[in-house]
DNA sequence: TCTGGATGCCGATCTTGACCTCCACCAGCG
DNA sequence: CGCTGGTGGAGGTCAAGATCGGCATCCAGA
């Protein structure tokens, strides 16, 4: 999906010559793989070059430095996420569906086999101002998109809507990331549905059970959810 | 609060001799300040030593290496957060209050003037397995504590309870961090209350306003919340 | 087909910066 | 007065980002 084989090119000596744009695209793919697998600090430019099957100078002929390369990938992913969320919000006017699709968008974003979501949601370079700015912008833009819908469709003020959207994004982000690390233990649709339920009806939507009413045969609410 | 003056010790030459535990405590304080201010990678051991007013060898006589020092601080903060959440959950049997206090615990954790929450919630060393493990453990433990309460007090199964707790923790964490970066624009209690409301009643708790019903004089729900 | 030029690529190297130890110093005690 | 043990400054080592001259490859045109 990315650009080429996952194994480093064992090209003995020479590499096929590529036009600039194709080479650049390939380098981005290789860099994405290594950055995702090891994080920013742990990856060496040597590794990226090796992964791409080229030598280091080629890398520096396409990108001024390590940080620029990383930022290019970061922008790519941040834009992807924001687009997905915007599409989800614009795809319907029913707010429950909007929330469901937005949360699903986070799960889909995280579910990409390349793992590129890590660049946006788990970057290890937030100390760098340029990175911090992009990560926070990505977060804020997504939240603002949701906040605009909330403010438009409910009676809450813009400040309150922003707070709510922050909470929702946090819920979706964290839920999606956690679901991913479980590695398929929980069905994706089920995880999404639970998060949507929580976001939509809150904890109070779940039946209270008295502490002395510990009958395990009582009907389970979670399974009779309808949508 | 941490250990001593924020300015590096301008001691010309000699430093007062301290017993081991006191020295270690002071070194931890200095390290915390520098790690928090600059992140793991950007901080040099030289800086920590200078900040503490000692020389590098004494640092290495107390901690085998940079990573060990960082892990000590990380454990410290992770334990602090987990304790706060556990206290919040154990302080009452009313679930709404439990959630409120738990979310408030995250806000209080983040609100510490030392900024030490960054070590747990914004570490730039997740590529290191030891760090990753601790960060994830901290998150999981907090979620499990909440999940246990949910599973005990509602009819949902343990898997569903875990999912819900993950979402709640994400909501609290993200909300708290975001509230902090706003830097006092929003009142803390108000931010907490909104997050609690969202967690408890969900978005559906807010009145639906028809798109053609754009009367700004409609009563604002968010202010008439009762608990 | 042959040639000249330009483009793309590589091996080897430089430099920086940060983690981690070696020789002089000094304070307290018998 | 001499010894013990902790402290300080200076240095070793190494990994990693960034770079320079040389070589191979492709293409336009006669």
């Amino acid at each position: 999906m990315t650009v080429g084989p996952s194994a480093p090119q064992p090209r003995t000596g020479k590499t096929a010559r590529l036009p600039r744009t194709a080479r650049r695209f390939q380098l981005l793919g290789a860099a994405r793989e290594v950055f995702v697998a090891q994080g920013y600090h742990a990856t060496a430019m040597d590794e990226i070059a090796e992964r791409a099957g080229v030598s280091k100078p080629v890398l520096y002929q396409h990108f001024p430095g390590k940080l620029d390369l990383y930022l290019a990938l970061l922008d790519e992913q941040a834009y992807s996420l924001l687009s997905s969320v915007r599409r989800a919000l614009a795809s319907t006017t029913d707010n429950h569906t909007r929330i469901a699709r937005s949360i699903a968008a986070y799960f889909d974003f995280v579910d990409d086999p390349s793992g590129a979501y890590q660049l946006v949601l788990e970057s290890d370079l937030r100390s760098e101002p340029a990175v911090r700015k992009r990560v926070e912008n990505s977060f804020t833009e997504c939240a603002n998109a949701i906040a605009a819908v909330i403010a438009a469709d409910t009676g809450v003020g813009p400040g309150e809507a922003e707070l709510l959207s922050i909470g929702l994004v946090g819920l979706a982000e964290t839920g999606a990331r956690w679901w991913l690390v479980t590695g398929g233990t929980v069905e994706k649709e089920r995880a999404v549905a639970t998060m949507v339920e929580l976001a939509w009806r809150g904890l109070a939507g779940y039946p209270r059970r008295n502490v002395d009413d510990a009958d395990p045969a009582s009907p389970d609410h979670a399974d009779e959810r309808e949508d």
Side-chain angles (χ1 to χ4, degrees), chain A:
Chain A
M1 179 54 69
T2 55
V3 68
S6 291
Q9 301 283 78
R11 304 291 302 178
T12 64
K14 303 302 125 187
T15 308
R17 290 168 68 133
L18 264 61
R20 272 192 77 83
T21 59
R23 180 62 82 195
R24 181 187 161 95
F25 190 78
Q26 186 217 3
L27 291 177
L28 280 173
R32 186 165 42 227
E33 289 182 21
V34 184
F35 276 136
V36 164
Q38 312 199 331
Y40 180 84
H41 297 286
T43 63
M45 291 295 265
D46 302 316
E47 287 182 77
I48 298 176
E50 189 187 4
R51 174 70 105 185
V54 300
S55 72
K56 243 189 311 184
V58 182
L59 211 48
Y60 283 95
Q61 281 162 5
H62 285 264
F63 301 95
K66 190 183 180 183
L67 180 60
D68 306 83
L69 181 50
Y70 189 78
L71 290 179
L73 294 168
L74 190 58
D75 284 333
E76 176 187 287
Q77 294 303 316
Y79 179 77
S80 165
L81 173 59
L82 180 55
S83 299
S84 295
V85 172
R86 287 210 173 120
R87 256 198 312 273
L89 291 174
S91 67
T92 178
T93 60
D94 177 60
N95 282 329
H96 185 274
T97 307
R98 281 210 258 235
I99 294 299
R101 289 190 183 157
S102 297
I103 290 179
Y106 275 89
F107 276 71
D108 290 338
F109 179 66
V110 156
D111 198 16
D112 186 87
S114 75
Y117 78 96
Q118 294 181 25
L119 297 174
V120 186
L121 302 186
E122 294 180 10
S123 174
D124 59 341
L125 197 61
R126 272 193 289 272
S127 57
E128 177 67 31
V131 174
R132 189 177 198 95
K133 179 171 172 291
R134 279 168 171 79
V135 169
E136 291 185 352
N137 264 358
S138 164
F139 178 83
T140 307
E141 288 294 321
C142 289
N144 281 349
I146 297 178
V149 171
I150 294 177
D153 280 13
T154 72
V156 308
E160 207 78 3
E162 190 174 6
L163 271 168
L164 291 171
S165 68
I166 297 294
L168 288 175
V169 170
L171 186 149
E173 243 186 56
T174 309
R177 274 169 43 196
W178 178 87
W179 167 78
L180 193 71
V181 301
T182 62
T185 306
V186 185
E187 202 119 0
K188 184 175 173 183
E189 285 72 20
R190 181 180 149 96
V192 171
T194 302
M195 291 297 162
V196 171
E197 200 69 1
L198 175 59
W200 190 250
R201 298 206 292 166
L203 273 181
Y206 292 87
R208 179 85 166 89
R209 177 173 75 179
N210 282 338
V211 286
D212 45 17
D213 173 23
D215 186 6
S218 64
D220 196 335
H221 162 81
D223 292 335
E224 63 187 18
R225 163 184 34 77
E226 90 291 345
D227 54 341

